[in-house]
Amino acid sequence: MKPANNSSFESPIDRAALLALRRELELAGSFNFQEAVQTYLETAAQYMADLQQAVVQYQADRIKQLAHLLKGSSSYFGARGMVILCQRMELLAKANQLEDMPHFIDNLFEEFTRVRRALEEESIRRAA
Amino acid sequence: MMTTDTIRVLHIEDNPVEARLLDVLLKNGGPVQLAHAGRLDEALKKTQAADFDAVLLDLSLPDAQGWDVLNRVQAAAPHAPIIILTSLDDEHFSRECARFGVQDYLLKGEINSASLRRTLLYAIERRQMRDRLEKLVYERTSELERLNEKLLQAQKMEVMGRLTGGIAHDFNNLLSMMSGYATFLKDSLDTTDPRRADAEEIRNTVDRAASLTRQLLNFSRMRPIQQESLDLNSVIASMEKMIRRLLGERITLAIKLDPTPGWIYADAGQIEQVMLNLVVNACDAMADGGALTISTEIVHENDKRYMVLSVEDTGCGMSAETQTHLFEPFFTTRANGTGLGLTTIFGIVKRLEGTIHVTSALGRGTTFKVYFPYGQEPQSVNIKKEQSATLLAGKETILIVEDEPVIRTLARRTLEGYGYTLLDASDGMEALKLLQGYHGSIDLVVTDVVMPSMGGLDLADRVAVLHPAIKVLYWSGYSDYTQAADRQQESPVFFLPKPFSPLQLAQKVRETLDSLS
């Protein structure tokens, strides 16, 4: 049977990209992988909370700025779904089309939950 | 730039997580000196405080976005290549980036330390190459503009020369008439008549005016060139006073002339020009003073005898590079030089079948040696003497061809006074018709060179074919004589420069008639 939503069965993380980042971090030795993941998840959570508030308050510029920030750090961790959603929100905010924003925020939270789970698993697996 | 060199990078990014990650990637790639800015105003301050080899840039910043960021960073660090960090994989975007002078762009999430380092190095290399090319193009353009200016200056000088020459030509005609009629007036007066002195004074004044006109023609280079046997030593000796005046007080002058007369076949005016150009160059090379030595000697080379003129200075000298361009038109080391001085000398010396040798080194002065083919001592017949009226008289028939009626009348009156039979025509066509219809014998055609309808040179060609026994004497205020000489090398060319006095005309007519043909 064909799944209704392909993405829900795929990893939310591009593992090749994540592994590459991990190698770079290990090479440098100044910023360990777990710490990097943790920093990403914390800042991303903060951006998401701010983003939700900006959507409620119809602040297009702020939405655009936060979506851009979230998109940037998500790219480094291979969170492709996050990048695509942020990209979409950034463009809509730029065009001042805010009608669908609540819908995108919901999707973003859903995707972020998957990303967090995947990253934490990856982080634990590697640490072990 | 070598891969091991430290690259100075300014990273402009407001996301602290990204900033930290990119920091790791940059340091993993190789030695970097990294500065970071989270806002545009902070970034602009950093570009003022330090130089960067490259800028990594996120186009979305808290205080500015998009192309505004790009333009302002480019303006603040014009020599640093900019690499855009983006999450958008968009062809349109990358094309736009290139159009706005961005060296490259990198996709966040696809960056690794090796590709980042490589991108930076290539971007720096490309930018340096572009800067070098731009510099080269700028230099070439400036050089072309400079040459163009020189060309315009030279063209302006040429136009001025032509204008001056044209006026001087008309003046010559007027002066010829004045001189002629003053002579007629004087000759018509009794030797005891006090008005004879007045007429003589008019003649003298006209002669002075003619000498001014000659200087104008010299300036415009339209003076008739008259090659004759000259003693180079005498030419130099006659110029000594003027040369000393040119040199001023801080340059000493020594003139060492070969005791044997240095005969060369040349135009005195041109030799003076060669001397003056060389002296002026030497003078410019010795801005802080020095010694100028002008010498002559007879030299034998390859079975040929040369009269060598040396102009030696103790000035700044020339590099080998400068020496290779020395005789090129418009080449000059002076801010306001025309770059034509040595080109002119080269032209003159080459026409005389001579050569120029230059010895020079930076800081060791310069010596120009001009080799003139050694000529012959002038024959005594060529030495002009006041000849008595009886010696100048003749019974031959002469045809005067001249478009200026007053000159025609003047010549007619002068020559009739010496016993000749005169015919006249106002241009070449009329002269040919007259020759065809005339049944008596004509011994000499005296013709102006420049005339409407048919000029003197074409007329002479026809006469040479139709009436080979008739001799031709030209007169002109222009240097057309050389054209005549070029065209008729096989037969002697007789030429009388304007303005001329009745006596000069009579002498030249007699000389032409008495020549062997």
Side-chain angles (χ1 to χ4, degrees), chain A residues 17 21 23-25 27-28 30-31 35-36 39-40 43 47 64-65 68-73 75-77 83 87 90, chain B residues 13-18 20-22 24-25 28 58-62 65 85-88 108-114:
Chain A
L21 177 68
R23 273 198 299 276
E24 296 279 4
L25 290 168
L27 180 67
S30 57
F31 190 21
E35 192 192 346
T39 309
Y40 165 65
T43 52
Y47 290 148
K64 191 181 72 167
Q65 188 197 359
H68 181 80
L69 287 166
L70 190 55
K71 179 183 72 175
S73 35
S75 327
Y76 283 91
F77 290 87
V83 171
Q87 162 92 14
E90 195 182 346
Chain B
E13 167 67 71
D14 62 332
N15 186 330
V17 179
E18 286 183 54
R20 251 187 109 174
L21 291 173
L22 203 86
V24 166
L25 295 180
N28 281 349
D58 187 323
L59 287 176
S60 178
L61 297 173
Q65 271 93 42
L85 298 169
T86 176
S87 312
L88 314 175
K108 292 175 179 177
E110 290 184 8
I111 310 170
N112 63 53
S113 52

Side-chain angles (χ1 to χ4, degrees), chain B residues 355-374:
Chain B
T355 51
I356 305 175
H357 297 253
V358 188
T359 326
S360 184
L362 278 178
R364 293 199 197 157
T366 301
T367 303
F368 277 92
K369 280 182 188 286
V370 184
Y371 285 64
F372 296 104
Y374 199 87

Side-chain angles (χ1 to χ4, degrees), chain A residues 58-106:
Chain A
Y58 297 100
Q59 293 172 315
D61 281 348
R62 183 84 179 124
I63 296 172
K64 191 181 72 167
Q65 188 197 359
L66 288 163
H68 181 80
L69 287 166
L70 190 55
K71 179 183 72 175
S73 35
S74 300
S75 327
Y76 283 91
F77 290 87
R80 294 163 306 178
M82 294 282 289
V83 171
I84 291 164
L85 284 167
C86 289
Q87 162 92 14
R88 188 85 193 115
M89 288 176 78
E90 195 182 346
L91 288 174
L92 286 172
K94 204 171 170 183
N96 211 16
Q97 291 173 3
L98 306 183
E99 304 84 46
D100 290 337
M101 284 302 172
H103 167 71
F104 278 109
I105 282 286
D106 289 347

